[in-house]
C-alpha cells in the first residue's frame, strides 16, 4: 500500500473483525477434529471454517497484511478441497491448520501492539500447501491456472500467493481488474472505497487493492485498483463499483477449461460465501464498540455519581441551616433514580457472556492433552451468565491456571485411571452461575486423584493442615509447587498464587477448595459482577471513615453486650450470639491497628456480619453513616496496596475514603494460626 492511504484508520476495525473470525475458526476446527477422531465427516464445520479463513484473507488483503493473506490462503485452499470431499478432513490435517491459526493470531497481536506482522514461519506454507493433496477427493483434479495479463494485473506488485489466487480458476472464476475513482460527488451518495470493497468482496475473492496516483477522468488524482477472482458479469461488477467512470477489465489472456469432477460434489461453497457473511453482519443487530469508549462512558458516570454526593452534602448543610430545601431534595431523589438507571444501562453494555470469555479453554485443554499425553474432556456449563468486561479480563488468567493444574496435576494417566476403576478419559468441568447478590460463582471441578493435604504439608515443611482451607493456604504460597521439577506446563509455583491474587486481592472475591482423595477436587470462585460502581455502607471507626460493599455484608445489627462471651482460653476472641449461632466478634478498630486505647472487655455498638470462607464473622464498628453509591478506585500501586483494602472512593467531600474488603481482612487475622488476631487483641 502506498503512503497515500493511511492504514491506521482501518486497523482497529480490521483487528476486531479478524479476532472474531479467529474465534469462530478455532471453534469449528476443534469440532472438525472431534469428528475426524471418530472417523466421521463434519461438512458444516468445514464450511464455516472455510468461510472464516476466506473472510480473513479478504480483510487482510484490504489492509495489505501479506503474511496473514498467505497463511489464510493456503489454509483456505486445503479446506476447499475438504469441502468438495464432503466435509471430510483427515485428522492429521488438524495440527497444521491449528498451527496456521496460531500464526495468524500472533501476527494480529503484533499489529495490535503497533508492530509490523512478522514473515510467515519457515516451512509453514509448505506444510499447509501439502494439505491440499491430502484433502483432495478421489477423482478430482486441481484447476488449471489462467494466464494473467501482466500489465493490467500490475504483475510486479503481486506476491506469489496473490498471483495463485488470481490464476486459480476453480468454480469457473476468472481474474478481473476493477478501477474505482473516488470523488466528493460519489462519497455524497455513499459510494466510497470501503463500500465498493464490500460489494466486490461479496461478488468474489478480493485479492488485492492497489491505490495509484496520477490524473484521472473528472479531475481527480487517485485511482483504486481492485483485483479479484469472480464469476460475476462485468455489468454486475461495474454496478458494484458505482458505475462509470469505474472500469472493469478481464485479466486472463486465455481461460483454461474447468476441471471435471469424477464424483458428485456438494453445492459450490463460494456462491454461499458471496452472500451470507455480509447478510449475517447486517442483520445481526449488533454494534461493535471499542472497550475504551465504554470505559470513557463509565468514567463520565463516575464523575456524575461523585458530583451527586457533593450536591447531597450541600443540600444537607442547607437543610441543617434551616433553608427551605424541599424542592431541592425532590430533585435529588429524581436525579438519584436517573443515575441508577444510567448506571444499569452502561453496566449492561459492558457485560460479556461468560461462555464467550471461555471460548479459548477448549484450545488450552487440547494443547495440554498433547503436552501431557493424558486423555481429558472439558465440559462447560455456563448458561447465559454475564460478567463486566473488566472482571472477565482479570478472571480469565485465573481460570487458565486452574484448568491447567487440573489436567497436569490432578488427573491421572489413562493407565492409573484404569487401575483405579475410572474411565481412561479424565473430566474437567467448568460451571458458572449468577447469584442474586451481585456475585457470580464459578466451579472448576476435576475427577482426578484429589489433593493429599499431608503430602502438601510435608513438602511445604508445615504442620499437617486441619481443614481444606488450610490446604488451600499452602497451595497458594508464592513459589510453592507439589512438583519435583519444572515442566513445560507447571512446576514453578506461581499458578495458585496468581489465582488467589486475582480472585481475592484484585476482584475482592472468594476462593474455596473442596477435595476428596481418589474422587476429585473442586475450586469455587465467587467474584462480583462489576468492580467499579458499588452500593456501599459507610461507617466510622477509630475516628476514621470507611466504606464496605453492600454485597459482602449479610446483616447489620446492634450488638447486645449481654450476648457477648469470651470463652476461657480463647486468647481474647469474643463470641456473639446471632440467630442461635455463636459468631466470632472482631473489633475492626483493633484489626486496623488503631484500637490500642480500647478496653479489652469493651463491646462495639454495631457490627457488620460477613461470610468469610463460609463462616460468619461479625466486625464491630462505631457509628453507621448510611448507604450510598460509590466509585471504587483500586489501589494499583503495589507500594500502597494493602490486604483487606479494595481501594478508595470520594464520598463527595473531596477526601479519599478507604473501601475495605472485610472477608480478606478477616482471613488475614487467621493467618499463621491466628497471628493477626492475637496481635490485634
Amino acid at each position: 500500500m502506498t503512503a497515500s492511504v493511511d492504514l491506521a484508520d482501518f486497523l482497529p476495525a480490521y483487528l476486531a473483525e479478524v479476532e472474531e473470525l479467529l474465534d469462530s475458526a478455532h471453534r469449528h476446527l476443534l469440532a472438525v477434529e472431534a469428528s475426524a477422531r471418530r472417523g466421521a465427516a463434519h461438512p458444516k464445520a468445514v464450511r464455516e471454517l472455510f468461510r472464516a479463513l476466506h473472510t480473513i484473507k479478504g480483510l487482510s488483503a484490504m489492509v495489505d497484511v501479506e503474511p496473514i493473506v498467505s497463511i489464510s490462503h493456503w489454509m483456505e485452499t486445503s479446506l476447499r478441497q475438504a469441502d468438495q470431499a464432503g466435509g471430510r478432513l483427515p485428522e492429521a490435517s488438524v495440527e497444521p491448520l491449528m498451527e496456521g491459526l496460531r500464526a495468524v493470531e500472533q501476527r494480529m497481536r503484533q499489529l495490535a501492539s503497533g508492530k509490523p506482522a512478522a514473515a510467515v514461519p519457515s516451512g509453514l506454507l509448505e506444510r499447509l500447501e501439502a494439505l491440499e493433496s491430502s484433502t483432495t477427493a478421489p477423482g478430482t483434479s486441481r484447476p488449471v491456472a489462467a494466464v494473467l495479463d501482466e500489465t493490467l494485473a500490475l504483475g510486479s506488485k503481486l506476491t506469489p500467493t496473490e498471483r495463485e489466487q488470481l490464476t486459480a480458476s476453480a468454480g469457473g472464476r476468472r481474474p478481473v481488474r476493477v478501477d474505482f475513482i473516488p470523488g466528493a460527488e460519489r462519497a455524497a451518495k455513499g459510494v466510497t472505497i470501503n463500500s465498493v470493497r464490500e460489494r466486490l468482496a461479496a461478488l468474489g475473492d478480493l485479492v488485492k487493492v492497489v491505490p495509484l496516483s496520477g490524473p484521472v477522468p473528472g479531475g481527480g488524482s487517485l485511482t483504486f485498483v481492485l483485483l479479484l477472482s469472480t464469476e460475476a458479469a462485468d455489468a454486475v461488477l461495474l454496478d458494484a463499483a458505482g458505475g462509470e467512470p469505474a472500469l472493469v477489465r478481464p485479466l486472463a489472456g486465455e481461460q483454461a477449461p474447468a476441471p471435471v469432477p469424477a464424483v458428485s460434489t456438494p453445492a459450490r461453497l463460494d456462491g454461499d460465501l458471496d452472500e451470507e457473511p455480509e447478510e449475517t453482519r447486517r442483520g445481526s443487530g449488533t454494534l461493535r464498540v471499542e472497550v475504551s469508549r465504554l470505559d470513557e462512558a463509565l468514567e463520565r458516570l463516575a464523575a456524575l455519581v461523585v458530583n451527586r454526593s457533593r450536591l447531597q452534602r450541600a443540600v444537607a448543610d442547607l437543610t441543617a441551616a434551616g433553608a427551605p430545601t424541599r424542592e431541592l431534595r425532590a430533585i435529588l431523589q429524581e436525579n438519584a433514580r436517573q443515575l441508577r438507571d444510567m448506571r444499569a444501562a452502561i453496566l449492561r453494555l459492558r457485560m460479556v457472556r461468560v461462555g464467550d470469555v471461555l471460548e479459548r479453554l477448549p484450545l488450552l485443554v487440547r494443547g495440554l492433552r498433547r503436552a501431557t499425553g493424558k486423555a481429558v474432556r472439558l465440559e462447560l456449563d455456563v448458561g447465559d451468565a454475564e460478567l463486566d468486561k473488566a472482571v472477565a479480563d482479570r478472571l480469565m488468567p485465573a481460570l487458565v491456571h486452574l484448568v491447567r493444574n487440573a489436567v497436569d496435576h490432578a488427573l491421572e494417566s489413562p493407565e492409573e485411571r484404569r487401575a483405579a476403576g475410572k474411565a481412561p478419559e479424565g473430566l474437567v468441568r467448568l460451571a458458572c452461575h449468577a447469584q442474586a447478590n451481585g456475585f457470580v460463582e464459578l466451579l472448576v471441578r476435576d475427577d482426578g486423584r484429589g489433593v493429599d493435604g499431608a503430602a502438601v504439608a510435608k513438602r511445604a515443611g508445615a504442620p499437617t493442615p486441619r481443614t481444606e482451607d488450610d490446604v488451600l493456604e499452602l497451595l497458594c504460597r508464592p513459589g510453592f509447587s507439589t512438583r519435583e521439577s519444572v515442566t513445560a506446563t507447571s512446576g514453578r509455583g506461581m499458578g495458585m498464587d496468581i489465582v488467589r491474587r486475582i480472585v481475592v486481592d484484585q476482584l475482592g472475591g472468594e476462593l474455596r477448595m473442596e477435595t476428596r482423595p481418589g474422587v476429585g477436587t473442586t475450586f469455587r470462585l465467587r467474584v462480583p459482577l462489576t468492580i467499579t460502581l458499588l452500593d456501599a455502607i459507610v461507617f466510622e471507626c477509630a475516628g476514621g471513615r470507611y466504606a464496605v460493599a453492600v454485597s459482602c455484608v449479610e446483616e447489620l445489627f446492634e450488638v447486645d453486650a449481654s450476648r457477648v462471651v469470651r470463652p476461657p482460653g480463647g486468647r481474647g476472641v469474643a463470641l456473639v450470639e446471632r440467630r442461635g449461632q455463636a459468631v466470632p466478634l472482631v473489633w475492626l478498630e483493633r484489626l486496623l491497628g488503631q484500637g490500642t486505647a480500647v478496653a479489652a472487655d469493651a463491646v462495639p455498638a454495631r457490627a457488620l456480619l460477613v461470610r468469610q470462607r463460609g463462616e460468619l464473622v461479625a466486625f464491630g464498628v462505631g457509628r453507621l453513616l448510611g448507604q450510598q453509591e460509590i466509585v471504587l478506585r483500586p489501589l494499583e500501586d503495589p507500594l500502597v496496596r494493602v490486604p483487606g483494602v479494595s481501594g478508595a472512593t470520594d464520598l463527595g467531600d473531596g477526601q479519599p475514603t478507604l473501601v475495605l474488603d472485610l472477608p480478606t481482612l478477616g482471613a488475614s487475622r487467621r493467618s499463621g494460626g491466628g497471628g493477626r488476631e492475637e496481635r490485634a487483641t
Side-chain angles (χ1 to χ4, degrees), residues 241-465:
E244 295 181 350
L247 193 61
V248 179
R249 287 175 283 184
L251 293 177
E254 58 181 3
Q255 181 69 42
V260 179
V263 295
S264 61
T265 58
R268 194 177 63 76
L269 178 59
D270 301 352
D272 297 338
L273 267 176
D274 294 342
E275 299 176 2
E276 188 170 337
E278 298 299 326
E279 292 292 336
T280 302
R281 278 202 292 273
R282 293 191 185 105
S284 60
T286 59
L287 174 66
R288 185 183 296 118
V289 179
E290 294 176 23
V291 174
S292 60
R293 296 191 179 191
L294 295 177
D295 290 342
E296 182 182 353
L298 191 61
E299 191 63 28
R300 299 291 173 87
L301 174 62
L304 289 176
V305 170
V306 173
N307 271 340
R308 182 190 172 279
S309 296
R310 291 174 178 167
L311 182 59
Q312 195 170 19
R313 292 176 68 89
V315 171
D317 291 343
L318 288 174
T319 304
T325 58
R326 181 176 180 181
E327 189 173 351
L328 276 177
R329 284 185 277 115
I331 294 174
L332 264 180
Q333 289 180 352
E334 177 63 15
N335 177 251
R337 186 190 63 77
Q338 291 171 341
L339 281 179
R340 280 197 300 272
D341 291 346
M342 186 185 297
R343 168 191 170 186
I346 291 180
L347 290 181
R348 275 199 301 273
L349 289 176
R350 295 176 56 85
M351 288 294 177
V352 295
R353 290 184 65 250
V354 176
D356 294 340
V357 176
L358 303 181
E359 268 190 342
R360 293 301 180 91
L361 284 185
L363 274 179
L364 171 70
V365 171
R366 180 184 184 275
L368 291 170
R369 196 164 48 216
R370 294 171 58 83
T372 62
K374 295 178 180 178
V376 54
R377 183 174 83 257
L378 175 68
E379 287 185 1
L380 298 178
D381 177 19
V382 295
D384 295 324
E386 294 182 328
L387 277 174
D388 186 301
K389 169 73 174 165
V391 176
D393 287 346
R394 294 193 188 188
L395 188 61
M396 189 60 189
L399 296 176
V400 167
H401 280 295
L402 288 175
V403 171
R404 181 180 290 151
N405 283 349
V407 176
D408 202 23
H409 291 270
L411 293 184
E412 310 92 335
S413 67
E415 296 75 19
E416 291 173 315
R417 292 180 65 86
R418 287 193 189 93
K422 297 181 178 179
E425 185 178 59
L427 173 65
V428 177
R429 190 170 190 273
L430 198 155
C432 176
H433 307 287
Q435 296 182 326
N437 56 357
F439 277 76
V440 167
E441 185 178 69
L442 296 106
L443 303 175
V444 181
R445 178 173 296 155
D446 67 71
D447 67 345
R449 55 174 62 90
V451 179
D452 185 340
V456 169
K458 182 179 179 181
R459 182 161 180 78
T464 301

Side-chain angles (χ1 to χ4, degrees), residues 45-46 58-59 113 167 214 220 225 228 256 271 408-409 414 434 487 511 514 521 527 557 580 584-585 642 647 664:
V46 168
L59 293 171
S113 60
T167 56
V225 175
L228 67 156
D408 202 23
H409 291 270
T487 70
L511 175 66
E514 300 157 13
T521 303
V527 297
F557 64 95
L585 175 62
V642 179
T664 300

Side-chain angles (χ1 to χ4, degrees), residues 475-515:
L475 292 175
C476 292
R477 281 187 179 181
F480 176 76
S481 175
T482 56
R483 281 199 176 279
E484 294 289 344
S485 58
V486 175
T487 70
T489 55
S490 64
R492 294 174 177 80
M494 301 296 292
M496 289 306 301
D497 177 39
I498 292 174
V499 170
R500 183 170 65 175
R501 280 197 285 115
I502 291 175
V503 174
V504 179
D505 298 343
Q506 297 181 13
L507 296 177
E510 188 180 33
L511 175 66
R512 307 289 306 278
M513 183 188 75
E514 300 157 13
T515 185

Side-chain angles (χ1 to χ4, degrees), residues 122 271 317 319 602 616 645:
S122 175
D317 291 343
T319 304
L616 290 174
V645 178

